[in-house]
Amino acid sequence: MDSKPSIRILGFLFDGLQATSQSAVLVYEDDQIYFETAFIHDKVFAIKDLQFHPELIGVPRVIESANGLRFETQDCEAVRRLETTLHKTSWIHLIESSWTLSLTGAAMVVGLLAFIYFDLIPRYSSKLARKVPASVSSMMSRSAEKFLLYKPMKKDILSTEEWQRANTAIEDFEKHFHAKDIQIDIIESDKNDPNAFVIPNGHIFLNSALIQTADNSDQILAILLHEIGHYHHFHVMQSVLEHSAISTLIIFITGGTDWTNVPILILNNSYSRDNETQADDFSIQTMKEMNRDPSALADLFQKMADLVKNESELPKFLSTHPGFKERIQYIRRQSTSR
Amino acid sequence: MTTPESNLPSLEKHQIIFHGQAKDYFRIWITNLLLTIATLGIYSAWAKVRSRKYLYGNFELAGSRFDYHADPKKILLGRVLIGVLFAGYSLGGKIDPMVSVAFATAFALITPWLMVRALMFNLGNTSYRNIRFGFKKDYNGSYKAFFQSLVWTIFTFGAGFPKGAHIQANFRMNRIRFGAKYFQFEAKTKEFYNPYFMAFGIYVFGVIVMIVSMVALKGTPLGSLKILLPVIALYVCLVWAGATLKAELINLKTSHTNLGEIKFYSDLKPRPLTILYIQNILVCALTLGLAIPWAIIRSIKYRAKCTQLAMPSGELEKITTLSEQDAQNATADAAADFWDLDLGF
């Protein structure tokens, strides 16, 4: 009958009562383990009463007994032989100790993260966003509406012609969607800051500067369609879900350091830019269906770009919107295609 | 680094040595990440234990290494709990801002309790020479320190924040023990003001540099660099301020802490720490995060290099573990087992 080889491992024993160590030899012989040391004589330990701490590259190996004794050794090779004899090998350590497997793992991680970021998160956020009850969107919009409509806008902010342009666009919009229940409001703003946005319940806000910047009702209509495009694609809720997913992912990768805000912001901005392009597409498509000139949106963006031409543009990766130049070129291209 | 003269028998000096290598830690880190993603986050608790065992196991003091013993299942439970609370806070806040306020208030109210539990868990699972560290269970003290520091900060419009930091440091450091012996921390409040003043000064300098550079670059044909360069300048100053604060606070707390006759010294310098952080950020950004293990190892190596202990010969060996009765008293709590959780990342 083959007998298992005996194994002797030199190390240090800590009794757990005092912060002292004793030089010791762990002996494995005839399926038994005991320590040779000054204060433990021939005490045999059952294999099941010994805990082998996981092997980690470069860290001394530790074997602990159930009664609190700790044996530490730099002879990792000997402990590995003992573990093999006792059928206690670790597959995780096999991966960690092999550069080939580790680098393959690194490539898989990069691939997985790319797949999660570019496909999984946007796809499932979009699907989940559609399943969120309408009552949740209403609740989310309540405080925004209270804040934005707190002060009624003065009628004389816009000229008669500007009011007419806005009303024509709103009427055309409501006629096309057969919807009188989509709320559209114009709010007061600084002249040089044209803007429009939609809140989760579909309520659209145009500011007075946008109406003053537009040359005709088609440009205002194009912006209304862009905003309703966000609502149609559930972008607000989708952004909430994407932001949560990205934050969780970054925290898992980095362990939650102080600098996680920057990568979270940059990664979320990319999703935001994609949403803006999708809303532009919605506007272009719907303008075509309404037999209007879809490049009206590009004309309005050109006017807005001229307003900010003397100010710096944010670098693309820090911006939630694609740059004006890029958007105008894209819209004009899409407007002329079928 | 010089240590003060002593009239006691000559003190032995011990340098903290960190043996960890970026090439080794990278392999552990990447395996952890792969398994965490593959298990939708469940493995993250085991990953944390492996990471800590590697890092602690590579710290050497007087010929012996440290160790980390936490049960990954308890870490996972803690993460699920914190995850649920955080999801409630952030998603609930999108529905109604008052939900965020309610969650933030509730969280603030349980923070002192959470802090004690987390310190008990992490210190209780850390050992050196098979003797565990520990943290004295003192919820009343934690709430007192928390609210005192809050009052000092709010009613002085922030000027009393260093005083609050002193109160918190005092509370924590004097309740940490190694074996049966408690650490002693003695620092004056005024010593806490200097690090914060320095950091604040650097921050203000950064804001001024950003504004001045934005004005100077206006009208130049630099496109988006007109915003990017001033923002980068501010960011660098924020890193510098953060590094200065960290270095000065660690030096302050370390140098005013002793464990009986064992004295601790720290000599972190803001400038090398700032350069280290900036290099780490740049390399991590350029490698899309793959250099995070390298950055962690460098940071730890630098901190270890700056930390020393001085003690009479044989002082460390005199430290004993808690008696069985004291150990029971230290952790006995009706909810101890359930709340014996790690509540952070």
Side-chain angles (χ1 to χ4, degrees), chain A residues 5 99 206 278:
Chain A
W99 267 111
L206 308 173
Q278 208 177 24

Side-chain angles (χ1 to χ4, degrees), chain A residues 86 115 135 143 151 220 226 304:
Chain A
L86 299 174
F115 171 65
S135 53
S143 35
K151 207 170 112 185
I220 300 172
H226 169 95
M304 287 165 73

Side-chain angles (χ1 to χ4, degrees), chain B residues 167-225:
Chain B
I167 292 170
Q168 292 276 16
N170 216 38
F171 169 77
R172 280 179 222 182
M173 304 297 286
N174 285 306
R175 282 159 184 76
I176 298 174
R177 57 175 175 79
F178 173 56
K181 205 171 190 70
Y182 279 88
F183 286 80
Q184 294 106 35
F185 174 72
E186 282 163 7
K188 294 190 174 53
T189 298
K190 62 180 182 183
E191 290 174 288
F192 273 77
Y193 273 87
N194 199 37
Y196 287 98
F197 276 144
M198 287 168 69
F200 184 69
I202 296 168
Y203 166 71
V204 169
F205 173 72
V207 171
I208 293 169
V209 164
M210 183 182 76
I211 294 169
V212 166
S213 52
M214 272 182 161
V215 169
L217 292 172
K218 199 169 181 168
T220 61
L222 288 173
S224 62
L225 286 177

Side-chain angles (χ1 to χ4, degrees), chain A residues 19 57 68 70 96 139-140, chain B residues 50 54 67 94-95 130 319:
Chain A
I57 314 165
R70 177 186 169 96
E96 287 169 357
M139 274 193 278
M140 282 171 74
Chain B
R50 276 189 91 79
Y54 175 80
D67 201 356
K94 300 274 188 277
I95 295 170
N130 206 16
I319 295 174

